[in-house]
């Protein structure tokens, strides 16, 4: 067993433990602490995982990381954990590009290698997409605009599909503009 394999096993076990904890924390009223710490450490986690040395390694770890992040996105997106707007924006701006990139990469690897076992299942993808849409719609309009502009400028528009959030943002913006004009 190589050092990489040993390290991956330890990190995978830790992520599995975190995933298990995530199911217990609501009963102990500690979910907000977990989510807050996850948001705070997200940048550090991604610096390590996105290191060039790991570009074609640790696929299982990368998938598990997205699974844990999906639980955080759901908790915040569906209002089980309330965070300030700037934390929600940080959560989205940190994980949206990573998840988008990894989904495309995992799909392309699965297309190339018939025995490639790592992928994001459809239910997980829909869950992430729904949580992100809910998260975006609960942000201030200017933050919504920033995130949606980043999403539209990316090459990978297919996943996650944030068009529902974009349509609602457009409607709200038109409606607010109309009310402003009528008020004047």
């Amino acid at each position: 067993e190589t050092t990489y394999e040993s390290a991956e096993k330890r990190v995978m076990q830790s992520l599995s433990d975190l995933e298990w904890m995530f199911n217990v924390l609501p009963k102990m009223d500690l979910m907000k602490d977990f989510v807050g710490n996850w948001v705070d450490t997200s940048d550090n986690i991604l610096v390590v995982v996105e290191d060039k040395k790991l570009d074609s390694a640790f696929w299982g770890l990368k998938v598990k990381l997205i699974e844990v992040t999906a639980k955080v996105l759901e908790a915040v997106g569906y209002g089980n954990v309330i965070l300030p707007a700037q934390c929600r924006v940080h959560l989205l701006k940190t994980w949206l590009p990573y998840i988008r990139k990894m989904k495309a990469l995992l799909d392309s690897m699965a297309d190339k290698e018939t025995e490639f076992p790592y992928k994001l299942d459809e239910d997980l993808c829909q869950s992430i997409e729904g949580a992100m849409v809910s998260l975006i719609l609960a942000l201030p309009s200017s933050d919504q605009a920033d995130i949606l502009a980043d999403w539209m400028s990316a090459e990978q528009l297919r996943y996650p599909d944030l068009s529902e959030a974009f349509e609602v943002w457009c409607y709200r913006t038109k409606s607010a503009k109309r009310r402003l004009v009528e008020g004047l």
Side-chain angles (χ1 to χ4, degrees):
E1 183 172 291
T2 68
T3 306
Y4 278 119
E5 290 169 340
S6 173
E8 182 178 20
K9 280 184 182 176
R10 285 195 312 272
V11 175
M12 284 291 286
Q13 184 59 53
S14 295
L15 282 172
S16 293
D17 291 347
L18 286 175
E19 196 172 29
W20 175 84
M21 281 176 39
F22 202 86
N23 296 322
V24 174
L25 290 174
K27 297 171 182 114
M28 300 168 61
D29 203 27
L30 293 172
M31 184 70 85
K32 184 173 182 168
D33 295 329
F34 179 89
V35 169
N37 286 326
W38 190 260
V39 172
D40 291 342
T41 60
S42 290
D43 291 328
N44 296 333
I45 292 168
L46 289 179
V47 163
V48 172
V49 173
E50 290 190 299
D51 188 284
K52 293 289 181 205
K53 294 175 191 166
L54 304 178
D55 269 354
S56 58
F58 291 171
W59 295 111
L61 172 87
K62 293 172 183 177
V63 169
K64 181 60 79 177
L65 190 61
I66 291 172
E67 290 171 356
V68 173
T69 302
K71 291 183 180 290
V72 171
L73 290 168
E74 287 173 15
V76 178
Y78 298 127
N80 297 326
V81 173
I82 308 299
L83 293 178
Q86 85 181 55
C87 290
R88 290 178 281 149
V89 168
H90 181 73
L91 181 64
L92 279 166
K93 286 191 172 188
T94 302
W95 289 102
L96 175 61
Y98 179 76
I99 291 171
R100 176 179 32 223
K101 179 179 82 175
M102 286 308 302
K103 169 82 166 106
L105 203 53
L106 290 167
D107 288 351
S108 73
M109 292 296 289
D111 289 345
K112 288 179 196 170
E113 301 177 32
T114 56
E115 298 297 315
F116 189 72
Y118 307 106
K119 66 178 191 166
L120 301 177
D121 72 46
E122 198 57 41
D123 289 342
L124 176 66
C125 290
Q126 287 179 348
S127 175
I128 290 170
E129 203 169 76
M132 284 187 172
V133 167
S134 294
L135 254 168
I136 291 168
L137 292 176
L139 292 173
S141 184
S142 61
D143 292 325
Q144 288 180 29
D146 287 346
I147 290 167
L148 291 169
D150 288 346
W151 168 71
M152 287 189 293
S153 66
E155 291 175 26
Q156 202 48 257
L157 266 178
R158 289 179 294 169
Y159 185 82
D161 180 4
L162 303 179
S163 56
E164 179 184 345
F166 179 70
E167 289 170 12
V168 172
W169 177 80
C170 288
Y171 174 78
R172 287 177 179 170
T173 303
K174 286 179 187 177
S175 180
K177 185 177 179 181
R178 188 173 53 248
R179 283 194 311 271
L180 180 65
V181 168
E182 289 171 1
L184 295 175

